[in-house]
Amino acid sequence: MARTWEGTAGRLSLALAVLLHRTVAGEAAKKRLQNWRDSALRGAHRRGLPVEVIAARTRLSQSRVRAVVTGGEPPPVDRAA
């Protein structure tokens, strides 16, 4: 009986890991979350919040926020060495 539960628990754990991997860590999921964020940023800007306030609250650069709210291409990401 114990073996049956261990096997079932293992398969459920694996199924959960696969689900999380596909929904949270996948490239499509990352893009989807960024699209939701960008939509929220545009909505906040339409409702009167200035770019400076949005950038300060989200910890994004002002140029990136400005590009999102105007619909332009975001600047390239600067990575520290």
Side-chain angles (χ1 to χ4, degrees):
M1 184 76 177
R3 277 199 189 285
T4 305
W5 286 111
E6 287 175 6
T8 304
R11 283 191 293 277
L12 285 173
S13 293
L14 177 60
L16 178 62
V18 168
L19 176 70
L20 289 173
H21 175 72
R22 290 182 180 163
T23 58
V24 177
E27 191 64 34
K30 181 180 176 184
K31 186 69 174 164
R32 185 173 55 246
L33 290 174
Q34 285 179 345
N35 287 339
W36 286 348
R37 179 201 66 194
D38 292 350
S39 177
L41 292 177
R42 284 189 291 274
H45 189 260
R46 270 194 312 268
R47 287 170 178 79
L49 284 175
V51 170
E52 294 78 18
V53 173
I54 296 170
R57 292 287 302 198
T58 59
R59 296 183 181 171
L60 295 171
S61 67
Q62 289 183 11
S63 61
R64 183 167 295 275
V65 172
R66 197 168 284 112
V68 167
V69 298
T70 60
E73 286 292 317
V77 176
D78 294 331
R79 296 183 185 234

